[in-house]
Amino acid sequence: MTAVLGQPRAGLAASLKQALRPTWRRLKAAVKLIGYSWHDYRQFARWSAAIRKWDPEGQMAQIVKYYHMIEKGLALPAPRPGFGHYAVEGLCAMVDCRIGAGVTSPRLGEALEVLAAYRDFNRACGGAIPAAVEPLLAKARSAGLGREAEAVRHVARAAIESATDFDAAAFFGSRFSVRQFADKPIDRARIEAAVRIAQTAPSVCNRQAGRIHIVEDAATRDRWLRYQNGNRGFGETMGALAVVTVDLRAFLEPEERFQGWIDGGLFAMNFIMGLHAQRLGSCCLNWSSPVGNDREFHRVSGIPDQERIIMFIAIGELRDDFVVARSPRRSLESVVTFVSGR
């Protein structure tokens, strides 16, 4: 009798468990998402200049933002005389403060050169120049800063045509995620050349938050790879490991809370294509990592806590012949939409 009665109970429990399983999974995912979002908030609040207005790196990022606003204005088809007083006055105040504190940085020299170009433009067209500009430039000259007036560069269409006179589709289409590397050391100069290409990536107001940490030592590489779960079966064969990060101190407003992922992704993509231009193989290794794993890796690697990790990248010499995943692409029609006028 007990067994007979027990069977329906067991069946009911199994059915209930089966019915609640999707709800339980959604609840677990929601709790994880809340925890990860809280971690992201704490990191951004702790390190970004949106909160840390006093941080020297954040203040330098603000200087770059201001002078890039002026550069962009001078690069317009017809700049308005006297434009940008808010940015000019803010830039003058911040640069003057840094000079007074004895700070030396290439960014200060760049800011002063932009201010001099802004002054010369407005002199030529009769635009108003904020009163703080000339005294600051005089102070800069006495301090040996700001060598020339320069805010824009001239580019010839013919130069771009010459630089792009190759089969771009073949170049980009011949880059694959490589997991079969040749057993050869990599010349560091080729990686450095790829980093220079990474530096050409656009970034918000030219603040250039991207950073790359390169590991060439096999023991250190293997130790770091333990924290990444997508390198099994080939991680030990790579010639070098790159970790791409962004410095959160470059971001100045709460609205820029996701900008690091955008700038970091652009920076990483340019680096990857730079490696391809150097005829090196690469494979992006995902860093969608639990919070605890992220914290532990920062501790073990020594990568500063203010740098958020974008991805790992495996790097290696190409074999004469190798295979890659087929990875078919979606149809063009499923990706692009041309919006007609309305």
Side-chain angles (χ1 to χ4, degrees), residues 18-322:
Q18 184 71 20
L20 291 176
R21 186 170 291 150
T23 302
W24 174 243
R25 287 175 178 167
R26 287 195 295 269
L27 182 61
K28 283 176 64 178
V31 170
K32 276 188 177 181
L33 179 60
I34 291 169
Y36 295 165
S37 299
W38 176 246
H39 175 68
D40 292 342
Y41 161 76
R42 289 189 64 190
Q43 289 296 95
F44 192 81
R46 181 182 179 190
W47 292 111
S48 78
I51 305 297
R52 295 166 57 91
K53 299 295 186 184
W54 64 89
D55 183 87
E57 287 294 326
Q59 290 180 350
M60 201 60 70
Q62 182 68 65
I63 286 173
V64 174
K65 176 182 177 179
Y66 277 147
Y67 86 61
H68 191 59
M69 290 170 68
I70 302 166
E71 285 182 322
K72 290 188 292 185
L74 291 171
L76 291 174
R80 176 175 56 83
F83 74 89
H85 275 214
Y86 167 78
V88 172
E89 290 167 357
L91 181 60
C92 286
M94 295 194 75
V95 171
D96 192 27
C97 183
R98 301 276 78 72
I99 293 175
V103 175
T104 58
S105 167
R107 305 289 84 79
L108 293 181
E110 293 160 5
L112 290 159
E113 289 169 359
V114 170
L115 284 170
Y118 176 85
R119 176 204 58 194
D120 293 352
F121 165 77
N122 282 290
R123 278 180 177 172
C125 65
I129 304 172
V133 172
E134 197 56 60
L136 177 61
L137 292 174
K139 180 187 288 189
R141 282 193 297 272
S142 65
L145 296 171
R147 296 179 299 278
E148 54 192 322
E150 191 171 18
V152 296
R153 67 175 69 181
H154 292 274
V155 180
R157 177 190 175 97
I160 294 179
E161 290 175 345
S162 175
T164 55
D165 187 19
F166 71 105
D167 191 340
F171 173 73
F172 286 96
S174 64
R175 189 268 154 194
F176 307 98
S177 291
V178 177
R179 296 174 177 87
Q180 297 180 5
F181 298 114
D183 185 17
K184 297 178 182 177
I186 301 173
D187 180 5
R188 180 178 291 186
R190 294 164 71 194
I191 296 179
E192 290 175 340
V195 174
R196 291 189 186 94
I197 291 174
Q199 290 182 284
T200 67
S203 62
V204 61
C205 292
N206 195 38
R207 286 179 237 156
Q208 302 178 55
R211 306 287 184 269
I212 300 181
H213 303 264
I214 304 292
V215 176
E216 299 169 301
D217 171 65
T220 304
R221 176 203 66 199
D222 293 344
R223 187 165 62 253
W224 286 23
L225 284 173
R226 293 189 197 118
Y227 295 87
Q228 200 282 334
N229 62 5
N231 63 88
R232 188 175 302 165
F234 75 99
E236 68 280 359
T237 69
M238 66 181 73
L241 172 68
V243 179
V244 179
T245 70
V246 289
D247 190 336
L248 289 176
R249 295 174 298 179
F251 305 110
L252 304 171
E253 307 295 342
E255 292 81 359
E256 294 177 349
R257 62 198 182 280
F258 299 129
Q259 194 65 43
W261 309 114
I262 298 168
D263 288 7
L266 291 166
F267 183 74
M269 191 71 249
N270 270 29
F271 178 58
I272 291 161
M273 297 314 299
L275 292 170
H276 185 49
Q278 290 295 315
R279 299 176 182 176
L280 291 169
S282 66
C283 184
C284 299
L285 303 176
N286 180 27
W287 188 252
S288 296
S289 175
V291 171
N293 190 63
D294 182 84
R295 287 174 176 160
E296 179 66 12
F297 178 71
H298 272 89
R299 186 189 67 79
V300 169
S301 66
I303 292 175
D305 196 39
Q306 66 266 19
E307 294 184 25
R308 296 305 306 270
I309 297 167
I310 303 299
M311 66 178 71
F312 286 22
I313 299 174
I315 306 170
E317 291 282 358
L318 295 173
R319 295 183 182 183
D320 291 336
D321 185 70
F322 55 95

